[in-house]
Amino acid sequence: MPLITDLKAFEEALGERLVATGKLDAGALLRARSVRQETDEPLHRLMPKLGLVAEGDLARAMANVLGLALMLPEDVPDTVLLGEHFRPEFLRNAGALILSEDDDCVLVALTDPLNEFVLQAVQNLAGKVVKVRIAIPAELEQAILRVHGSAEEISAVATVGVDDGIDLAADVARLRDLASGAPVIRLVGQMIARAVEMRASDIHIEPFENMLRVRFRLDGHLREVMSPPLSMHAALVSRIKIMANLDIAERRLPQDGRVNTSVRGAPVDLRVSIIPGFGGETVVLRVLDRNTVRLSFDALGISADHQSQLDRLFAQPHGIVLVTGPTGSGKTTSLYAALSKLNVPDVKILTVEDPIEYQISGINQVQVKPSIGLTFPYVLRSFLRQDPDILMVGEIRDAETAEIAVQAALTGHLVFSTLHTNDAASSVVRLTDMGIDNYLVSSTLIGVVAQRLVRRLCEECKEPIQLTPEMVEHFQLAELDQNQKLPKHIHRAAGAGCEKCGQTGYRGRTALLEVLEMNDEIGRLVLQNISVTSLREAAIDAGMTTLYADGMRRVLAGDTTIEEVLRVAKR
C-alpha cells in the first residue's frame, strides 16, 4: 500500500519544500539531484547521508508533502503492542514502531514512509489497515528503546550484578565489561544523537536516591527527556569515561575530558565534566556541534549598532577588550566570532583557553594543563616571545593573569579576555580589586562588553498582545524607543507552542549587549577610584545602551518577551 504513486513528483515537491523553508539551499539541492542520478538512491534517503539536511527538518518536510502527522512523545505507548509479531530487532532495522491498534487499523511510526516492504509487512502481520505517522530517526530509536528495550536490554543491564550480589561500583573489571555492552553503548549513542537533533547545548545525567534523571538544556532551559533505571547509572557513567579516556576506577574526585564523535555522519565534540555527589557521580556533557555553530555577530543576533561599536573596539591597535557575564551567557562564542572576523593571513592570533571549545583554522590555540604547570600566566609569558598581533585569554581568573594581560597591552598587543561580573562597569572595578593600578586600567582598557542570552520567540507560533499605556509606563518603553514610535502590539510565546519549536514557544537564542567604550571622562573617573554606580552613569551619558534597554528594544521588535528580558537583566 504505497503512500505515493509518482516518486519523481514527490522528490520535486520535497526539494521545493526544503528550499522554501530555508532548510536547504538551491545549490545543495542541485548537487543532491546530481548524485541521485548517479546512484539511483531516492532523494529523501540520500540527503541526510550527504549531510545536506538535518533528519528532523527532512521528516517535517516529508510530513508536509505527504500530508501526514509527525510522531509526538505522547504517541509512544507505555507497553509493547503486537509483540508476538514484531521483535525489537526488526523494528530497529525497519525504522518502525507500533503506536496503537484497534479493531480496524494499526497506527505505525516510520522513519521512511516510502518503504513499501515495511508497510506491507505490518499490514500482513497485523491483518489490519495501516495508518502512518512520520518519525524523526533519533526520536524513534529512543521510543523503541523505551518500549522494547525497557523490558529486555535495559533490564538485562540493570540485573547484572544485582542477582549475583556483586557490587558494580567496586568491581571495576565487571563495570568495564558492562559499559562496553551493546545496550549501554546504544543508549549513550541515542542520548547524544537526540541531543544534537533537538539542538541541546548540554546533557545532564543526575542520580538521586530513587531515580536517575537525564535532562537536556534547550535554549538555556533544562528539560527532562528520559529516566533510565537507577541501576544503569554506574554503567552509563563508565561508558562516558571510556569515551573520554578518563579513569574508570576514580569515583572520589572530579574529572574533565573531551569526546570526539559523530552523529549520523556529522562531527560532534563533547566536553565532559564528572563530579562526585551524594547519590553518585553527576555527568554534564557540553554539546559542541560543528555543523550548527556559526561564529558571526549576525548569527548571535547582535544588533547593527552594537556591531559598529564592537568594530571600533577591534580596530584598535592595542589594548584590552573584556567580555563579561555569567556562565552560559555566550562570552566565549562572542570572542570566537571576533577572532574569526580578525583572522586574516597578515595577522597572527594566539589563544590560551580552558578548554578549547572550537578549533579555528589559522589561529594558534593552546589548552592549559595546570597538572603539568601549563597555566594561563605561564602560557601568556611564552606568547609574548612569539611576536603575536592579537592574544585571547580564555578567562582572567587571578591577579597574575591580569598583570600579564596589561603588560601585553602596554607592549602593543590587542588582548581579548572574559571576566565574571554582573555588568560592564563592574569589570573596571574588578580589575582594580585584583591589584591592577588605576592608571594602568585607564590606559590599557579600551572597552567592556556585558552579555546575556535570551530565548528568541518562535516565528511560527508567537502571539501578539496589545501594548497598553500601563505597560509602556511600567517598563519605561517610551524612553527606550529611539524613533518614539511604539508598536501597537508586542508578542508572547504561544501557550502550547508548535511543532517547529518543540511546543515551547521559543526557538533559538539571541544576545543582549551592553558595550562600555572607554573615553577621556570615564578614564578620569577610573583614576579617581569612584564607585561602580558613577562609572555606569557616565557610560550611559556617553551613549551606552544597558542590557535592560537592549532587551526591551528586542521586545518592541518582536524578537523576545518581557519575561525573558527581566530574567537576565535589571533596570
Side-chain angles (χ1 to χ4, degrees):
M1 47 170 299
L3 292 175
I4 63 169
T5 55
D6 189 339
L7 182 60
K8 183 177 180 181
F10 165 75
E11 292 186 346
E12 287 286 338
L14 180 64
E16 291 173 1
R17 176 66 183 176
L18 289 168
V19 172
T21 55
K23 305 303 181 184
L24 184 70
D25 62 66
L29 179 59
L30 288 175
R31 292 196 300 274
R33 286 172 173 166
S34 176
V35 175
R36 197 250 189 271
Q37 290 179 348
E38 297 174 2
T39 63
D40 201 33
E41 185 170 7
L43 202 61
H44 69 285
R45 298 174 191 165
L46 185 63
M47 287 189 291
K49 293 182 180 180
L50 296 175
L52 299 178
V53 63
E55 291 180 327
D57 294 332
L58 179 67
R60 283 182 277 271
M62 286 198 297
N64 180 271
V65 171
L66 295 173
L68 299 174
L70 280 177
M71 182 190 78
L72 300 176
E74 54 266 30
D75 296 330
V76 179
D78 295 325
T79 59
V80 176
L81 299 177
L82 300 178
E84 68 276 13
H85 297 305
F86 303 103
R87 304 300 298 167
E89 293 77 12
F90 168 80
L91 295 175
R92 289 192 187 94
N93 294 332
L97 178 64
I98 307 300
L99 299 179
S100 66
E101 64 165 330
D102 56 29
D103 294 337
D104 300 318
C105 70
V106 171
L107 180 63
V108 60
L110 298 175
T111 57
D112 184 359
L114 274 60
N115 191 326
E116 295 183 23
F117 168 77
V118 175
L119 283 169
Q120 194 64 53
V122 173
Q123 185 178 40
N124 291 342
L125 290 172
K128 301 175 183 179
V129 175
V130 176
K131 294 183 178 179
V132 175
R133 288 196 177 168
I134 296 181
I136 297 171
E139 294 183 1
L140 186 80
E141 289 177 4
Q142 184 59 44
I144 293 173
L145 183 66
R146 173 180 149 190
V147 176
H148 292 269
S150 59
E152 297 179 9
E153 295 180 339
I154 290 179
S155 62
V157 175
T159 56
V160 173
V162 175
D163 293 340
D164 55 13
I166 294 176
D167 183 2
L168 291 180
D171 190 346
V172 174
R174 187 67 172 272
L175 194 57
R176 186 182 297 276
D177 292 340
L178 189 56
S180 301
V184 175
I185 292 175
R186 183 178 292 116
L187 180 59
V188 172
Q190 291 171 347
M191 190 186 304
I192 295 171
R194 187 176 179 189
V196 172
E197 181 69 31
M198 295 175 69
R199 300 178 299 108
S201 61
D202 302 271
I203 302 170
H204 295 248
I205 304 172
E206 304 162 314
F208 296 96
E209 185 177 1
N210 299 313
M211 62 176 290
L212 177 62
R213 181 169 66 182
V214 177
R215 296 191 290 175
F216 291 172
R217 189 174 292 279
L218 304 170
D219 295 333
H221 287 246
L222 285 170
R223 183 195 301 181
E224 185 170 346
V225 293
M226 63 180 77
S227 184
L230 182 60
S231 50
M232 286 195 72
H233 171 251
L236 287 176
V237 175
S238 298
R239 176 61 194 164
I240 293 169
K241 286 182 179 180
I242 290 172
M243 294 172 68
N245 294 317
L246 299 177
D247 186 357
I248 194 173
E250 179 57 72
R251 293 178 294 276
R252 300 164 302 170
L253 298 174
Q255 295 190 71
D256 296 303
R258 195 179 189 108
V259 175
N260 296 316
T261 185
S262 63
V263 173
R264 310 193 190 285
V268 175
D269 294 338
L270 302 170
R271 272 172 44 195
V272 181
S273 174
I274 302 176
I275 61 171
F278 178 77
E281 290 178 296
T282 296
V283 181
V284 176
L285 306 176
R286 171 66 60 87
V287 182
L288 305 172
D289 186 356
R290 300 181 204 171
N291 282 347
T292 59
V293 65
R294 295 170 57 199
L295 300 177
S296 71
F297 294 141
D298 288 331
L300 290 169
I302 296 175
S303 66
D305 290 342
H306 279 143
Q307 288 194 39
S308 297
Q309 288 181 290
L310 296 178
D311 288 340
R312 284 198 298 271
L313 295 178
F314 302 150
Q316 300 298 316
H318 54 79
I320 299 175
V321 178
L322 296 176
V323 181
T324 182
T327 301
S329 59
K331 302 185 298 296
T332 304
T333 305
S334 293
L335 285 180
Y336 277 134
L339 294 178
S340 297
K341 194 170 186 178
L342 298 170
N343 185 20
V344 293
D346 60 345
V347 175
K348 181 166 185 175
I349 303 175
L350 301 176
T351 77
V352 52
E353 307 171 56
D354 183 22
I356 296 173
E357 294 198 9
Y358 299 106
Q359 296 177 348
I360 305 176
S361 177
I363 295 179
N364 301 280
Q365 298 171 269
V366 177
Q367 164 80 53
V368 301
K369 296 180 180 178
S371 61
I372 61 172
L374 195 65
T375 61
F376 278 112
Y378 185 89
V379 176
L380 272 178
R381 289 192 188 94
S382 301
F383 274 1
L384 297 180
R385 297 189 288 271
Q386 289 278 314
D387 188 30
D389 298 296
I390 298 173
L391 299 175
M392 195 271 270
V393 185
E395 182 183 348
I396 294 180
R397 299 177 177 177
D398 50 49
E400 190 177 7
T401 306
E403 289 171 1
I404 301 173
V406 168
Q407 179 186 348
L410 288 172
T411 53
H413 302 90
L414 185 59
V415 181
F416 297 148
S417 190
T418 68
L419 203 62
H420 285 281
T421 58
N422 290 326
D423 57 23
S426 298
S427 297
V428 180
V429 177
R430 175 70 177 134
L431 290 177
T432 60
D433 290 342
M434 285 183 170
I436 306 300
D437 292 330
N438 291 349
Y439 74 92
L440 290 176
V441 175
S442 178
S443 60
T444 59
L445 188 64
I446 58 178
V448 183
V449 181
Q451 180 170 314
R452 299 291 188 277
L453 294 177
V454 294
R455 290 184 293 175
R456 192 192 297 269
L457 280 166
C458 175
E459 292 296 329
E460 297 293 322
C461 66
K462 65 181 183 181
E463 299 175 343
I465 56 173
Q466 186 176 358
L467 184 61
T468 64
E470 292 78 13
M471 295 170 65
V472 172
E473 180 181 359
H474 181 74
F475 296 110
Q476 302 171 353
L477 299 181
E479 304 171 18
L480 303 174
D481 188 61
Q482 296 172 331
N483 299 321
Q484 296 297 313
K485 293 181 180 178
L486 294 174
K488 294 181 179 180
H489 298 88
I490 57 176
H491 292 81
R492 67 182 178 190
C498 68
E499 178 184 299
K500 188 171 183 180
C501 63
Q503 286 70 48
T504 64
Y506 296 92
R507 182 172 173 81
R509 289 189 288 178
T510 188
L512 306 184
L513 261 59
E514 178 178 284
V515 182
L516 185 155
E517 294 184 81
M518 292 292 287
N519 57 27
D520 292 341
E521 175 61 19
I522 295 176
R524 183 182 63 80
L525 295 175
V526 171
L527 290 173
Q528 295 176 2
N529 199 27
I530 65 168
S531 67
V532 172
T533 302
S534 299
L535 279 176
R536 179 180 175 85
E537 291 174 352
I540 293 174
D541 291 341
M544 181 182 79
T545 301
T546 65
L547 288 167
Y548 175 79
D550 190 31
M552 287 304 172
R553 286 173 183 168
R554 300 296 184 89
V555 170
L556 295 176
D559 295 333
T560 190
T561 63
I562 290 176
E563 292 79 9
E564 278 293 295
V565 174
L566 295 178
R567 181 176 60 84
V568 301
K570 62 181 181 179
R571 291 185 242 184

